[in-house]
């Protein structure tokens, strides 16, 4: 056990950002050398959805999937290169089988192609960084479409680095097109659509955007693909023109709010309330639009999955732009908050338990060393309001547990002596207990306050007060 630095190439961590593969000596056996599972005679494309499905059964964290996908991208590229450039005859294959039998070794040690050093030394890290990230790959849609990606062509990469192509000469239109990896596509066309320009950062003012109102133009947030579906709010000729009217109305409200805030010297509390209302409205529009897209009858040439993805991206860009636009010192963009409460220390366990109250002050001490409480952009909050505690106990926890179970557990804990600690608290729906969770008279309160702290953190982020929260 221990912690890993994901940025340390030499870290003993299978998910670090170090090399995707290294050369090492292994013992030759059927267990160490196996046939590559993704075997396809054509080796023309990678099925992203199939890889996602197989990844779920490996028991690895979700953060490891990009590395898993990149390893398959490289493996398929080498496999395709070997089949195109290093083709062996049937006689060579028979000879390899006979030689492996004579030498008492695995047949793959003889059959494995010897790749040229130039291929092994290609800048794979750079090439992979230019491919679509897994978060931009679409899953299997409701209509059964799958996401695929072309296999990297190593032979074309090598030819592109040799004269005359390396001098920028002799590149025909057809060959130049082949050098550019195509966008992952489905039976209904491209699924990964370029983000609009400008992005959610500071807007770039063009010839047709000479005033501040252009900051909130719909074209700054929605792609052409989405605009073709929802329109610009002024026409009813598009399939989902109601969504165009809603999102245009949202942008008009944000435009007027931004103008009023810049024209007046509003207080911090007024600014917080205004931003919270605007961002809440943005989330409502986003959720309402998702419901409409799921239930709407779309033309056959449109992918429901793609429309839904682009709608979410547009709303998220608007949300982020509003958060940045209305931010100020100690509020909004660039602010990280730490939330704690002394009531969480009331969960007192037995000696030697992993869940010990001493961990909380240590965590807060570490946060302080990192700068918590020393600046407006890194506030340290010591109290969770009672309204969040009531919300956690009366509304949130009953969604995860039966009310009868919560009541029985609360009564059991409140009946403990005031000086009790390390008492078995585990209780299932049948009323049978165990000793895998121990605590004290304040354990139930500590658990509820912990949930309340998380609710307060979510409320602060959704309300635009900060970008992330650490609760302890």
């Amino acid at each position: 056990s221990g912690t890993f630095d994901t940025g340390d190439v030499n870290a003993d961590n299978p998910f670090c950002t170090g090399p995707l593969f290294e050369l090492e000596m292994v013992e030759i056996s059927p267990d160490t050398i196996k046939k590559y599972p993704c075997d396809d005679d054509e080796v023309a494309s990678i099925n992203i959805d199939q890889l996602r499905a197989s990844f779920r059964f490996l028991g690895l964290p979700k953060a490891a999937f990009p590395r898993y996908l990149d390893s398959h991208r490289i493996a398929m590229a080498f496999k395709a290169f070997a089949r195109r450039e290093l083709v062996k005859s049937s006689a060579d294959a028979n000879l390899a089988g006979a030689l492996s039998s004579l030498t008492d070794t695995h047949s793959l040690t003889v059959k494995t192609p010897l790749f040229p050093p130039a291929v092994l030394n290609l800048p794979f890290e750079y090439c992979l960084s230019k491919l679509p990230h897994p978060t931009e790959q679409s899953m299997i849609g409701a209509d059964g479409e799958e996401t695929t990606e072309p296999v990297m062509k190593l032979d074309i990469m090598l030819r592109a680095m040799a004269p005359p192509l390396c001098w920028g000469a002799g590149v025909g239109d057809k060959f130049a097109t082949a050098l550019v990896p195509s966008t992952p596509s489905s039976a209904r066309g491209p699924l990964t659509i370029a983000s609009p320009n400008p992005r959610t950062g500071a807007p770039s003012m063009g010839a047709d955007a000479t005033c501040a109102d252009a900051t909130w133009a719909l074209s700054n947030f929605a792609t052409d693909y989405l605009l073709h579906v929802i329109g610009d709010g002024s026409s009813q000729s598009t399939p989902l023109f109601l969504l165009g009217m809603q999102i245009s109305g949202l942008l008009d409200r944000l435009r007027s709010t931004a103008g009023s805030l810049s024209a007046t010297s509003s207080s911090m509390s007024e600014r917080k309330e205004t931003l919270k209302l605007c961002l809440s409205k943005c989330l409502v529009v986003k959720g309402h639009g998702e419901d409409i897209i799921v239930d709407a009858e779309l033309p056959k040439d449109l992918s429901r999955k793609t429309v839904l993805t682009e709608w979410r991206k547009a709303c998220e860009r608007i949300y982020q732009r509003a958060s940045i636009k209305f931010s100020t010192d100690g509020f909004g963009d660039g602010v990280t908050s730490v939330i704690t409460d002394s009531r969480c220390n009331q969960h007192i366990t037995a000696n030697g338990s992993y869940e010990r109250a001493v961990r909380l002050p240590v965590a807060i001490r570490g946060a302080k060393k990192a700068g918590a409480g020393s600046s407006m952009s890194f506030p340290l909050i010591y109290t969770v309001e009672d309204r969040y505690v009531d919300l956690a106990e009366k509304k949130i926890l009953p969604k995860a547990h039966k009310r009868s179970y919560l009541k029985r557990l609360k009564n059991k804990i409140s009946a403990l002596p005031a000086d009790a600690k390390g008492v078995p608290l585990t209780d299932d729906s049948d009323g049978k207990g165990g000793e895998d969770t121990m605590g004290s008279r304040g354990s139930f309160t500590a658990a509820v306050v912990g949930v309340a702290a998380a609710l307060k953190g979510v409320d602060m982020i959704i309300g635009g007060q900060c970008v992330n929260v650490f609760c302890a």
Side-chain angles (χ1 to χ4, degrees), residues 6-47:
T6 57
D8 184 4
V9 175
N10 298 318
D12 186 17
N13 176 11
F15 313 119
C16 71
T17 55
L20 281 172
F21 61 91
E22 295 180 354
L23 300 178
E24 60 177 342
M25 301 298 294
V26 296
E27 182 181 356
I28 306 301
S29 69
D31 294 329
T32 57
I33 297 183
K34 297 182 179 180
K35 188 176 181 180
Y36 181 59
C38 299
D39 191 13
D40 187 355
D41 292 337
E42 298 296 331
V43 199
S45 62
I46 301 176
N47 191 318

Side-chain angles (χ1 to χ4, degrees), residues 396-431:
I396 303 302
L397 287 176
K399 294 181 181 296
H401 302 283
K402 293 182 178 180
R403 292 184 181 273
S404 58
Y405 167 76
L406 293 173
K407 183 178 180 180
R408 184 170 65 250
L409 189 60
K410 182 178 181 179
N411 293 337
K412 179 179 180 180
I413 293 176
S414 61
L416 295 176
D419 58 347
K421 62 179 182 179
V423 179
L425 302 178
T426 303
D427 192 7
D428 56 25
S429 58
D430 297 329

Side-chain angles (χ1 to χ4, degrees), residues 140-154:
I140 298 178
D143 50 4
E145 61 185 23
E146 295 185 352
T147 307
T148 59
E149 178 185 281
V151 175
M152 292 188 295
K153 295 180 173 56
L154 305 184

Side-chain angles (χ1 to χ4, degrees), residues 271-291:
R271 202 175 187 91
K272 287 182 178 180
E273 188 63 26
T274 301
L275 179 58
K276 186 174 182 179
L277 291 175
C278 290
L279 296 182
S280 299
K281 178 65 175 179
C282 182
L283 294 177
V284 170
V285 171
K286 176 177 178 285
H288 185 227
E290 291 174 347
D291 294 338

Side-chain angles (χ1 to χ4, degrees), residues 60-81:
L60 298 175
K62 292 182 179 179
F65 181 70
R67 304 278 292 174
Y68 179 78
L69 175 58
D70 285 344
S71 65
H72 280 279
R73 283 167 166 168
I74 290 182
M76 292 291 283
F78 277 111
K79 191 178 186 71
F81 179 85

Side-chain angles (χ1 to χ4, degrees), residues 196 217-227 230 247 310 314 317:
L218 181 56
S219 58
N220 288 345
F221 306 98
T223 60
D224 293 339
Y225 183 94
L226 183 62
L227 290 175
I230 67 174
I247 199 169
E310 290 305 309
R317 293 183 187 113

Side-chain angles (χ1 to χ4, degrees), residues 324-359:
I324 296 174
K325 186 69 176 180
F326 300 149
S327 296
T328 185
D329 293 339
F331 174 78
D333 188 49
V335 177
T336 296
S337 301
V338 177
I339 301 177
T340 187
D341 194 291
S342 59
R343 288 172 287 184
C344 293
N345 286 317
Q346 297 178 11
H347 177 56
I348 304 174
T349 59
N351 295 332
S353 175
Y354 290 106
E355 297 181 0
R356 289 178 292 172
V358 69
R359 296 172 63 189

